[in-house]
Amino acid sequence: MIAKLISFLFIILLSTSSIQATSPQSDYEYQLTQYRKHNTEFKVLKEDNQKNPTLDNQQKALQAAKQTIISRDTTKIVYIEVILSSIRSQNPTQGYILQTESELISAQEFYKNQIILAKNIVNVEDLTKFTKEYLATQPPYQTEIIKSLATNKLAILIRLQTDIKNAYDDLLPKISDKTLTPVSAGLDKITQLADNINNKILSSINIIKSSEVTTSSKSSFYSKQTENLSQIKTLQVELVNILVDLEKNYVN
């Protein structure tokens, strides 16, 4: 149990991203490549139309813009699925994380609807109207995506904390003499660390929930969350090390 826990913790500490390679991840990488291709084509055709504003060039640029919008929002839908897949793999039960799942599904529905609307663009006026409404209505959904990345990493640490608790419950009856000073000190330290970790997890949840994060402020948001989550991981490493020591030296 503890060996498995160490392996999981090791993977988390080495990973630069908390989202593992999955089928949705592969789909996202493909869609992102498609979006970049369409966006590059649009920029070329837009420039051609600006230099030589003929009706033909305008239509080519318009169709390219339409395809870029569709590709962009398709990419967002698949990216959300990547995050959802990672969160769901942690088997969350916490209300906030379940709420995040629900909000991400709502975001997917929003972008699916935008694709439907984009397919109905037939002229420049339609494109202008679509863009204005998109810019006005899209930000809250983008905010949810940004915040959900931090929530996903937190969900992984919560799952690890649950695994640590299960390992502790499995180990405790196997320690024959809990009155030994190193044992009692270790058990007391485990309790202190567990309380500290749980408090930091709750604090992180509250910070994520209350953060007024936007695309322009996401870097500072991620920086702050990375600091908070790193502190939790450090405490979890310390806790697991104590469990390892107890199992190695005080289990008959």
Side-chain angles (χ1 to χ4, degrees), residues 1 49-50 79 107 120 126 146 173 223:
M1 179 66 167
N49 183 54
Q50 290 172 339
Y79 184 55
N120 293 325
D126 290 341
I146 294 170
S223 177

Short mmCIF file of all heavy atoms in Angstrom, two decimals, residues 1 49-50 79 107 120 126 146 173 223:
data_model
loop_
_atom_site.label_atom_id
_atom_site.label_comp_id
_atom_site.label_asym_id
_atom_site.label_seq_id
_atom_site.Cartn_x
_atom_site.Cartn_y
_atom_site.Cartn_z
N MET A 1 0.84 -1.21 0.00
CA MET A 1 0.00 0.00 0.00
C MET A 1 0.87 1.26 0.00
O MET A 1 0.68 2.16 -0.80
CB MET A 1 -0.92 -0.01 1.23
CG MET A 1 -1.82 1.21 1.35
SD MET A 1 -3.04 1.30 0.02
CE MET A 1 -4.13 2.55 0.63
N ASN A 49 -6.84 40.64 -48.60
CA ASN A 49 -8.04 41.45 -48.78
C ASN A 49 -7.79 42.91 -48.45
O ASN A 49 -8.34 43.81 -49.09
CB ASN A 49 -9.18 40.90 -47.90
CG ASN A 49 -10.48 41.65 -48.10
OD1 ASN A 49 -10.97 41.78 -49.22
ND2 ASN A 49 -11.05 42.15 -47.02
N GLN A 50 -6.95 43.17 -47.45
CA GLN A 50 -6.62 44.55 -47.09
C GLN A 50 -5.80 45.23 -48.19
O GLN A 50 -5.98 46.42 -48.46
CB GLN A 50 -5.87 44.57 -45.76
CG GLN A 50 -6.74 44.21 -44.57
CD GLN A 50 -5.95 44.04 -43.29
OE1 GLN A 50 -4.74 43.79 -43.30
NE2 GLN A 50 -6.63 44.16 -42.14
N TYR A 79 -10.35 20.61 -25.38
CA TYR A 79 -9.46 20.92 -24.26
C TYR A 79 -10.20 20.77 -22.93
O TYR A 79 -9.65 20.23 -21.96
CB TYR A 79 -8.92 22.33 -24.40
CG TYR A 79 -7.91 22.69 -23.33
CD1 TYR A 79 -6.78 21.90 -23.12
CD2 TYR A 79 -8.07 23.82 -22.53
CE1 TYR A 79 -5.85 22.22 -22.14
CE2 TYR A 79 -7.15 24.15 -21.56
CZ TYR A 79 -6.04 23.35 -21.37
OH TYR A 79 -5.12 23.66 -20.40
N ALA A 107 -19.62 25.07 -20.08
CA ALA A 107 -18.72 25.77 -20.99
C ALA A 107 -18.66 25.05 -22.34
O ALA A 107 -18.66 25.69 -23.40
CB ALA A 107 -17.32 25.87 -20.38
N ASN A 120 -23.61 29.93 -39.37
CA ASN A 120 -24.64 30.75 -40.01
C ASN A 120 -24.12 32.10 -40.48
O ASN A 120 -24.89 32.93 -40.98
CB ASN A 120 -25.81 30.96 -39.04
CG ASN A 120 -26.57 29.67 -38.76
OD1 ASN A 120 -26.70 28.83 -39.65
ND2 ASN A 120 -27.05 29.51 -37.54
N ASP A 126 -22.61 39.83 -40.34
CA ASP A 126 -22.83 38.68 -39.45
C ASP A 126 -21.58 38.41 -38.60
O ASP A 126 -21.69 38.12 -37.40
CB ASP A 126 -23.14 37.42 -40.27
CG ASP A 126 -24.50 37.47 -40.94
OD1 ASP A 126 -25.34 38.27 -40.49
OD2 ASP A 126 -24.71 36.71 -41.90
N ILE A 146 -9.69 28.44 -16.94
CA ILE A 146 -8.45 28.82 -16.24
C ILE A 146 -8.46 28.27 -14.81
O ILE A 146 -7.49 27.64 -14.36
CB ILE A 146 -8.29 30.34 -16.23
CG1 ILE A 146 -8.06 30.87 -17.66
CG2 ILE A 146 -7.12 30.76 -15.33
CD1 ILE A 146 -8.13 32.38 -17.78
N PRO A 173 -2.88 -0.67 12.72
CA PRO A 173 -3.07 -1.91 13.51
C PRO A 173 -1.86 -2.84 13.47
O PRO A 173 -1.75 -3.74 14.32
CB PRO A 173 -4.28 -2.59 12.83
CG PRO A 173 -4.92 -1.52 12.01
CD PRO A 173 -3.82 -0.59 11.59
N SER A 223 0.66 31.28 -10.75
CA SER A 223 1.84 31.38 -9.90
C SER A 223 1.46 31.19 -8.43
O SER A 223 2.13 30.45 -7.68
CB SER A 223 2.53 32.73 -10.10
OG SER A 223 3.64 32.86 -9.25
#
